[in-house]
């Protein structure tokens, strides 16, 4: 399709066209002239975005069903969005990861920051798991799959349709195999000297969280000869790295029995099962019970799901982060470390830190902040999109 045949959408006069020119990747529905013609554009269509004076701004993917009605694909409106274009984005992303990692286990595409808005691709050796969280990516999914197998050389591509993002785009929740044969069970993933077991078919999100890799590594530096508590552990993220670094014991707490079963298998694969234990249950309840038992640990990590997934949930989310800090602090031995994490993009670093410090103080503990961690370099930050810098990890010495 040539640019002259593409539909055109236009910013309202009061919309901030300069922000788009300077790199902002999203255009919300209330910034656009949404007449009957615009609303009739099929979700996932490619269109030309103009400013109020009808000057072209960018080539965008349109979804009238989403609050983010347009996502910038290219500043050059003559660009053809096809398999070749997709391959160029994948090649650029792969070139960076190949420099950063010795083994092919990483996030290959981090949405807007890698030039493919709404698209997440995690790589597990010769398997890639794709989350096409925007309508345009769903429309071009076969081309994306072909480009992925050509560029990355993977033999299997899985579509993961879980998560709220696809629902916000009006997309289905059907996960499937796009190329090759899906693994018949969990696969081993090497990271920070440990071996994690990832369920790529039925696991949470894409099966494993690569974003915490550098924070696992920093925590592991504090773990030698330590008793470790890993709360919201999923498949044993912090616990297994700590045990490989010389922790004397680690207790993993999670509400998911399947996740803890994978954590146990990871401990066995890592050769640390004799020092590893699990406890299933609600994290708040388990923390309360551990306090009642008088339990003490040298390193406590709390890595909860997003308590503040959006602005409406921010205040309740900040109270939850404060409560976690208050419950976890008494479990940390004198001179020990407390690691508090947030993956809520709506909670800024400053607000999350304030809630955490307040919770520590309410527990009667004093703390110094020794390190602030973020997502790894395979989760790059889009310079004009604060939401892409969602992960924060605060390392306190109590």
């Amino acid at each position: 399709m040539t640019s002259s045949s593409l539909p055109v959408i236009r910013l309202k006069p009061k919309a901030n066209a300069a922000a788009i020119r300077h790199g902002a990747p999203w255009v919300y529905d209330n910034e656009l002239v949404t007449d009957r013609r615009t609303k009739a554009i099929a979700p996932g269509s490619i269109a030309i975005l103009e400013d109020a004076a009808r000057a072209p701004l960018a080539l965008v993917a349109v979804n009238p069903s989403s609050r983010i009605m347009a996502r910038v694909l290219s500043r050059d409106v003559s660009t053809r969005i096809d398999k070749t274009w997709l391959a160029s984005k994948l090649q650029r992303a792969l070139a960076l990861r190949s420099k950063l990692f010795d083994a092919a286990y990483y996030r290959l595409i981090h949405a807007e920051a890698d030039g493919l808005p709404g698209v997440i691709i995690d790589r597990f050796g010769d398997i890639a798991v794709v989350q096409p969280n925007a309508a345009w990516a769903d429309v071009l999914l076969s081309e994306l799959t072909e480009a992925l197998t050509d560029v990355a050389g993977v033999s299997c591509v899985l579509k993961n349709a879980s998560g709220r993002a696809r629902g916000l785009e009006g997309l289905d929740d059907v996960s499937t195999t796009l190329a090759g044969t899906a693994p018949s069970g969990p696969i081993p993933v090497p990271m920070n000297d440990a071996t994690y077991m990832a369920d790529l078919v039925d696991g949470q999100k894409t099966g494993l969280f690569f974003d915490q890799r550098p924070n696992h590594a920093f925590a592991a530096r504090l773990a030698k000869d330590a008793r470790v508590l890993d709360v919201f552990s999923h498949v044993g993220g912090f616990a297994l790295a700590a045990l490989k670094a010389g922790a004397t014991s680690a207790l993993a707490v999670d509400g998911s029995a399947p996740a803890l079963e994978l954590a146990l298998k990871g401990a066995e694969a890592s050769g640390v099962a004799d020092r590893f234990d699990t406890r299933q249950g609600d994290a708040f309840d388990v923390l309360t019970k551990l306090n009642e038992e008088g339990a003490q640990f040298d390193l406590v990590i709390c890595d909860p799901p997003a308590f503040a997934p959006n602005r409406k949930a921010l205040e309740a989310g900040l109270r939850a982060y404060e409560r976690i800090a208050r419950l976890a602090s008494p479990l940390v031995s004198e001179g020990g470390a407390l690691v508090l994490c947030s993956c809520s993009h709506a909670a800024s670093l400053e607000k999350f830190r304030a809630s955490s410090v307040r919770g520590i103080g309410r527990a009667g503990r004093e703390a110094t902040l020794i390190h602030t961690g973020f997502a790894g370099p395979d989760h790059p930050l889009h310079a004009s999109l604060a939401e892409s810098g969602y992960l924060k990890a605060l390392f306190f010495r109590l």
Side-chain angles (χ1 to χ4, degrees):
M1 183 178 288
T2 62
S3 58
S4 60
S5 63
L6 294 174
V8 175
I9 60 174
R10 190 172 302 116
L11 290 177
K12 292 179 178 178
K14 292 185 179 180
N16 189 359
I20 302 297
R21 290 192 179 95
H22 297 157
W26 292 352
V27 186
Y28 290 95
D29 55 0
N30 60 3
E31 299 177 288
L32 292 163
V33 177
T34 50
D35 53 19
R36 185 182 302 173
R37 177 191 58 81
T38 306
K39 291 179 180 178
I41 295 174
S45 296
I46 310 301
I48 295 173
L49 173 68
E50 294 181 343
D51 63 17
R54 299 179 184 270
L57 288 173
L59 202 64
V60 296
V62 179
N63 186 355
S65 303
S66 172
R67 269 225 64 211
I68 305 171
M69 192 166 169
R71 298 172 186 262
V72 174
L73 299 178
S74 174
R75 309 286 160 186
D76 180 358
V77 297
S78 66
T79 302
R80 286 183 62 89
I81 306 301
D82 55 15
K83 178 183 169 182
T84 301
W85 180 84
L86 291 165
S88 71
K89 297 296 183 182
L90 290 165
Q91 286 165 344
R92 189 172 191 274
L94 181 61
L96 174 63
R97 276 68 176 184
S98 297
K99 291 179 180 179
L100 294 171
F101 301 102
D102 294 330
Y105 296 88
Y106 42 67
R107 173 150 294 181
L108 175 59
I109 293 292
H110 191 51
E112 281 76 3
D114 281 305
L116 295 178
V119 178
I120 297 295
I121 303 177
D122 282 348
R123 181 175 187 175
F124 301 87
D126 66 350
I127 304 172
V129 182
V130 181
Q131 285 188 310
N133 293 331
W136 77 273
D138 245 27
V139 172
L140 292 176
L141 195 53
S142 61
E143 290 88 342
L144 177 60
T145 301
E146 290 177 14
L148 184 55
T149 55
D150 289 349
V151 171
V154 294
S155 62
C156 173
V157 180
L158 306 176
K159 171 193 170 185
N160 182 291
S162 65
R164 60 190 295 271
R166 285 181 61 83
L168 295 174
E169 286 277 301
L171 303 173
D172 66 57
D173 60 356
V174 180
S175 298
T176 188
T177 301
L178 301 172
T181 303
S184 58
I187 67 164
V189 177
M191 189 164 60
N192 287 321
D193 296 327
T195 299
Y196 297 87
M197 301 305 296
D199 186 346
L200 307 187
V201 177
D202 296 315
Q204 190 176 348
K205 294 290 180 71
T206 62
L208 193 72
F209 297 108
F210 286 126
D211 54 359
Q212 285 282 24
R213 182 180 346 221
N215 299 317
H216 291 164
F218 192 90
R221 293 168 64 183
L222 304 171
K224 184 171 175 55
D225 300 325
R227 299 161 296 175
V228 176
L229 174 64
D230 183 3
V231 187
F232 304 99
S233 68
H234 191 227
V235 297
F238 282 94
L240 298 187
L243 288 168
K244 290 297 291 185
T248 58
S249 66
L251 174 62
V253 175
D254 202 273
S256 167
L260 290 178
E261 182 63 31
L262 289 173
L264 281 168
K265 290 179 179 178
E268 292 167 359
S270 300
V272 297
D274 58 325
R275 292 177 280 140
F276 182 68
D277 200 3
T278 65
R279 188 181 293 199
Q280 184 190 356
D282 175 82
F284 293 99
D285 292 342
V286 173
L287 287 171
T288 299
K289 287 187 177 181
L290 287 171
N291 276 298
E292 291 171 353
E293 296 166 9
Q296 287 282 278
F297 302 88
D298 305 299
L299 175 60
V300 175
I301 307 105
C302 297
D303 182 19
F307 285 150
N310 51 56
R311 290 181 182 177
K312 289 182 180 178
L314 178 58
E315 290 308 314
L318 292 174
R319 288 194 297 273
Y321 287 124
E322 179 183 332
R323 186 182 174 204
I324 284 287
R326 178 173 58 82
L327 290 171
S329 294
L331 299 172
V332 181
S333 62
E334 181 63 32
L338 173 63
V339 185
L340 300 172
C341 306
S342 167
C343 59
S344 300
H345 68 77
S348 68
L349 174 60
E350 292 73 21
K351 289 185 176 181
F352 171 57
R353 185 170 56 215
S355 291
S356 298
V357 170
R358 192 161 51 245
I360 293 170
R362 287 186 63 197
R365 301 299 301 270
E366 293 184 2
T368 53
L369 181 63
I370 62 172
H371 178 67
T372 301
F374 302 97
D378 53 342
H379 291 64
L381 172 65
H382 188 290
S384 300
L385 189 65
E387 287 85 348
S388 60
Y390 61 96
L391 183 65
K392 289 84 65 176
L394 304 176
F395 291 73
F396 295 96
R397 189 176 189 221
L398 270 57

